[in-house]
Amino acid sequence: MSSTLRIVYHYVLARGLRKWKTRAQLERWQERQIIQQVERVRKKSPFYREWWGDVDAANWRSFPLIDKTIMMQHFDRLNTVGISKDEAMDLAGESEETRDFKPSVQGVTVGLSSGTSGNRGVFLVSDREQDAWTGTVLAKLLPGGLWKPAKISFSSGPTVICMNRCSGVSCNFNILIC
C-alpha cells in the first residue's frame, strides 16, 4: 500500500469508520488489539520475551513495568527492528545537528526525546507509523474533512509548517524557519 493510501486509510478510520455501539464493544476491541500487539512484540523482541516470562498475553496488565533507564540499557534487544542504540543515537544526533530529519536506518526514522528527565531517550518510527499518525492528525485537525478548504499549522521547535488550502488529498505547505 502506498503512503498516500495508508494516510487516507487512517484518516477514514479516525473520522469514524470504526463505530462501536457500546463502551463494552470498544473495550473488547481494544483488548484484542493489545493482546495481538503483545504477541507480535514477544515474537520479535528478545528483551520482552524474557522480561514478560511465561505471563500469558491476556494477562498483560500484570507484566513487570520498565522505565526509561531500563529501556535505554536494553535498547538493542528491546526494539523489534534490530537497530542498535549506538546506531540510533549517532543518526539522531546527526539529524539534530544538521536539522535534516530525512535519513533513516533500515527504513526507520530515529528521533531523540527532549531529555526533560535528565536523560535523553531515543525512539524509532516506521513509515507506516508516520502515515497512521498523519492520517489521524489530519482527521482531527480538519473539521470539514478533506474536501473542504482549511488552514492549519504544525509547530515543532523553530519550524512552523502551515497548510493552506487543503482540498482533497492535495495540500499546499509553507515551511517557515523562525
Side-chain angles (χ1 to χ4, degrees):
M1 183 184 297
S2 76
S3 180
T4 301
L5 285 177
R6 273 196 306 263
I7 291 169
V8 170
Y9 171 76
H10 286 283
Y11 170 86
V12 170
L13 287 179
R15 289 292 288 197
L17 178 66
R18 291 183 178 137
K19 295 279 186 190
W20 297 275
K21 293 181 181 173
T22 67
R23 181 181 182 96
Q25 288 176 332
L26 168 63
E27 289 173 351
R28 280 193 301 274
W29 178 84
Q30 289 174 329
E31 186 71 15
R32 283 192 309 272
Q33 296 300 304
I34 292 168
I35 291 169
Q36 288 174 6
Q37 178 69 5
V38 165
E39 290 169 349
R40 278 190 296 267
V41 169
R42 186 174 258 153
K43 286 178 188 172
K44 294 183 174 188
S45 170
F47 171 80
Y48 279 115
R49 258 193 312 279
E50 292 171 19
W51 191 256
W52 295 336
D54 294 331
V55 178
D56 187 74
N59 295 324
W60 60 270
R61 288 174 185 83
S62 66
F63 286 164
L65 301 177
I66 70 168
D67 59 20
K68 191 177 193 178
T69 303
I70 294 169
M71 183 200 82
M72 292 304 293
Q73 286 172 346
H74 299 279
F75 185 87
D76 294 2
R77 297 182 66 243
L78 181 142
N79 79 77
T80 60
V81 290
I83 295 173
S84 75
K85 181 172 77 172
D86 291 340
E87 189 176 21
M89 292 297 274
D90 289 347
L91 180 61
E94 183 181 317
S95 294
E96 289 280 325
E97 233 176 75
T98 64
R99 307 305 293 165
D100 178 8
F101 300 100
K102 293 281 185 216
S104 62
V105 179
Q106 300 174 32
V108 175
T109 300
V110 179
L112 293 172
S113 67
S114 63
T116 55
S117 67
N119 299 318
R120 289 198 94 172
V122 63
F123 60 89
L124 307 174
V125 183
S126 72
D127 288 343
R128 289 175 181 264
E129 290 166 321
Q130 288 180 46
D131 293 346
W133 179 87
T134 302
T136 302
V137 168
L138 285 173
K140 301 300 180 185
L141 291 177
L142 298 174
L146 286 175
W147 314 117
K148 185 176 179 185
K151 291 183 179 184
I152 61 173
S153 296
F154 297 95
S155 178
S156 175
T159 305
V160 176
I161 302 171
C162 299
M163 184 166 55
N164 298 306
R165 290 193 161 123
C166 187
S167 178
V169 291
S170 173
C171 300
N172 297 322
F173 292 92
N174 297 323
I175 300 177
L176 310 170
I177 310 290
C178 303

